[in-house]
Amino acid sequence: MAADDEYIIIPNPIYDVVFRYLMEDEESAKIILSTLINEKIISIKPEPQSKTEKKESSAIPLKDPKTSDDIRLFHLDFSAKIELPNGKEELVMIELQKASKPNEIFRFKRYISKNFQKKQTQEIVDPGTQAIKEIESPIRLVPIFILNFRIENEINDLLIRTKHDKVGVFKNKNLQRHNEFIDNLIYDIWVVQVPNLQSIKEEDYANDEYKKRLYTLLRIFDQASREDKNEHRLRLTRKVFPDYFDRVIQRLQAAASENPDMEEQMYAEDEYIKALIDRDNSIAFLTGIVEEKEKALEENKKALEEKDKALEEKNRLIQELAGTLLSAGLPIVEVSKKTGLSTEELERL
């Protein structure tokens, strides 16, 4: 095999324009999402992006060169039918968000709250009349976050998943069965920390098929594999990806040819991130100046307070001296000369 055949070159999917193209292919989306959440997805359908949030900072108006719209913050929604371990099917809402900056957490919360309220129509049999009727019920929400930064340095894992336990406080027992009320009010989240790809060793996944597939999938985001320091391209080892991921790799390889202006859009994303960094640096610089001034004011305040205390102590000692001299029978005029107090002040002692 020629050396060039040992590697594949793909556009960097950490960029929104590349990742969006990848996820527009439903088969690729099914492979990626089922691998992430470790559940069998029977079918998947992208939800309309009717409420996509626009860039929050308007300091530098950046435009998408393809649409001339403001650059949008990235998220995708999918309704997916999942096969449960007991063979039953469940409709879930998979919410995928991707970010390069940690200051977008409040946007994440706002967006989750919108999807958390979505409902589905189900048919049930009335136990009394046996008639079939339709009811509205909640949809399980599956939020996935792909972050190009770390949110924790405790264990430095590549994927963090939360799990909610249902525990009786007095009985000290866990509820094992599905609970309609509780389970529809909570949700687990999956958080990918892309920089931690470098923290994962073979022994971390070697004996676990899910972890092996998961690590292999997330290698497509490996920023350490950028081609000749070109942030827009990744050079990956071909043999790392088994046949299971062929669809995903082929979709990524086709991205550039299917989108002639993709490179321009990637540069636009670079400018957007740079604008955010410049904004944050400016905020940090101004915050530093404010903090320094506040510190100086606090120091001046303390110095003035100490000066006032010293003056109060000096006045107290002078008054004590004046009282002692007056008690000793020294004329008030003499005491005034020695202490600097006026005769009126001495008469009040």
Side-chain angles (χ1 to χ4, degrees), residues 102 105 147-162 189-197 199-200:
I105 188 168
L147 309 178
N148 196 24
F149 53 87
R150 295 180 177 87
I151 57 165
E152 57 86 20
N153 57 6
E154 181 182 353
I155 58 175
N156 293 319
D157 209 317
L158 178 55
L159 177 66
I160 304 293
R161 181 192 173 182
T162 65
I189 67 171
W190 283 255
V191 182
V192 177
Q193 303 178 97
V194 172
N196 282 343
L197 271 163
S199 302
I200 304 302

Side-chain angles (χ1 to χ4, degrees), residues 37-55:
I37 66 176
N38 197 26
E39 294 196 67
K40 183 179 179 181
I41 297 178
I42 302 170
S43 62
I44 194 167
K45 183 178 73 173
E47 290 291 304
Q49 295 291 298
S50 58
K51 294 185 178 180
T52 305
E53 290 182 296
K54 288 192 176 184
K55 174 176 63 71

Side-chain angles (χ1 to χ4, degrees), residues 326 329-337 341-344 346-347:
L326 290 172
L330 198 68
I332 194 168
V333 176
E334 291 297 321
V335 174
S336 177
K337 289 180 180 179
L341 297 176
S342 66
T343 54
E344 290 80 6
L346 292 171
E347 286 172 354

Side-chain angles (χ1 to χ4, degrees), residues 158 196-216 219 239-240:
L158 178 55
N196 282 343
L197 271 163
Q198 312 309 315
S199 302
I200 304 302
K201 308 300 180 187
E202 186 174 354
E203 58 264 27
D204 295 328
Y205 59 81
N207 299 317
D208 188 304
E209 192 59 34
Y210 165 56
K211 293 179 183 178
K212 192 182 298 183
R213 292 199 316 272
L214 181 63
Y215 177 70
T216 301
R219 288 285 299 273
K239 67 180 181 180
V240 166

Side-chain angles (χ1 to χ4, degrees), residues 173-320:
K173 293 181 179 179
N174 286 26
L175 279 73
Q176 303 297 330
R177 295 194 297 270
H178 174 75
N179 184 285
E180 191 72 18
F181 181 82
I182 297 174
D183 291 337
N184 285 321
L185 287 174
I186 60 177
Y187 51 84
D188 297 331
I189 67 171
W190 283 255
V191 182
V192 177
Q193 303 178 97
V194 172
N196 282 343
L197 271 163
Q198 312 309 315
S199 302
I200 304 302
K201 308 300 180 187
E202 186 174 354
E203 58 264 27
D204 295 328
Y205 59 81
N207 299 317
D208 188 304
E209 192 59 34
Y210 165 56
K211 293 179 183 178
K212 192 182 298 183
R213 292 199 316 272
L214 181 63
Y215 177 70
T216 301
L217 168 69
L218 295 176
R219 288 285 299 273
I220 68 172
F221 294 101
D222 188 3
Q223 301 305 292
S225 300
R226 287 176 291 194
E227 186 191 23
D228 296 328
K229 299 183 180 180
N230 179 356
E231 296 185 357
H232 297 172
R233 298 286 181 272
L234 300 183
R235 186 171 186 259
L236 304 175
T237 305
R238 182 182 295 276
K239 67 180 181 180
V240 166
F241 300 96
D243 295 344
Y244 179 74
F245 291 111
D246 278 353
R247 178 75 175 221
V248 173
I249 297 301
Q250 290 167 6
R251 178 73 176 176
L252 283 169
Q253 289 178 313
S257 59
E258 293 290 328
N259 296 270
D261 58 353
M262 178 172 283
E263 192 78 14
E264 190 176 355
Q265 289 178 278
M266 293 167 84
Y267 277 116
E269 286 188 42
D270 289 335
E271 289 299 314
Y272 171 53
I273 297 301
K274 181 179 181 299
L276 287 180
I277 293 172
D278 290 346
R279 182 200 64 185
D280 291 347
N281 288 341
S282 297
I283 291 172
F285 176 72
L286 293 173
T287 301
I289 292 176
V290 170
E291 289 175 350
E292 286 180 7
K293 288 187 175 181
E294 288 178 345
K295 183 179 179 181
L297 287 171
E298 187 64 29
E299 290 175 353
N300 288 339
K301 181 181 177 182
K302 288 181 180 179
L304 289 172
E305 288 174 352
E306 291 174 0
K307 183 178 179 181
D308 289 341
K309 288 180 181 179
L311 286 172
E312 288 177 6
E313 181 65 14
K314 177 182 177 182
N315 289 335
R316 187 184 66 79
L317 292 173
I318 289 174
Q319 289 177 355
E320 284 185 2

